[in-house]
Amino acid sequence: MSDWLPPEAWTALLLSLRVSLVATIASLPLGILVAYALARWRFPGHGALNGLVHLPLILPPVVTGYLLLLAFGRQGWIGAALWDWFGFTFAFRWTGAALAAAVMAFPLMVRAIRLAIEAVDPKLEEAASTLGASRSVVFLTVTLPLILPGIIAGAVLAFAKAMGEFGATITFVANIPGETQTLPTAIYSFLQVPDGDAAALRLVLIAVAVAMLALAVSEWLSRRVAHRIAGR
């Protein structure tokens, strides 16, 4: 296998899968909460929250990465406290790559889940409430099963976006082989050296294959969940 791809390329691929999975799983609970708040609640600052969630889609990724560095770098607003209190830092670590990927993928996740929540008839939730169920029980027994296809779609979109994240990652955690070098930054590195085109092309093919596999799994899971909800 090392003849087809150099060892550092396999390392970058495995790190990308790790970063993408951690970014998706870690941000999913918050994504569901924010999507539900935007879809069902009306409160002061609703528009500001909606704008903040979608800000990474509007800003250049390099700007987002720089803001993450200002906030979570060792001397940053949050990063300094994390380092002083826990001896932990995101900057120039694979965990920072996961944080950057999660931030960039978060708007896509929230959007997919929010659309699924808005498609649920509020009368179903109101009917459960009139029977004495609390909000949390209504969400867990009525809303959550109905929006599972949307959650799956949002998670897959976030995973795919995290796999392809480049600008914010390289700005926030650099391109350190074996530590922060993910699939996109590895492709970039191979393109900068002589005779690196072949390895870069192979990594591109792997990236396409992973994305297609993720979409296929998403479609399969969504159909199974939809059939189960329909009682088939």
Side-chain angles (χ1 to χ4, degrees), residues 203-219:
L203 282 178
V204 168
L205 293 176
I206 290 174
V208 172
V210 170
M212 294 299 295
L213 178 61
L215 289 174
V217 171
S218 172
E219 286 292 323

Side-chain angles (χ1 to χ4, degrees), residues 137-150:
V137 172
V138 170
F139 178 79
L140 291 174
T141 59
V142 177
T143 310
L144 185 60
L146 293 175
I147 66 172
L148 271 179

Side-chain angles (χ1 to χ4, degrees), residues 168-191:
T169 301
I170 200 170
T171 305
F172 182 38
V173 296
N175 185 16
I176 306 171
E179 180 63 34
T180 65
Q181 188 177 75
T182 57
L183 197 62
T185 55
I187 293 172
Y188 174 79
S189 295
F190 280 121
L191 290 175

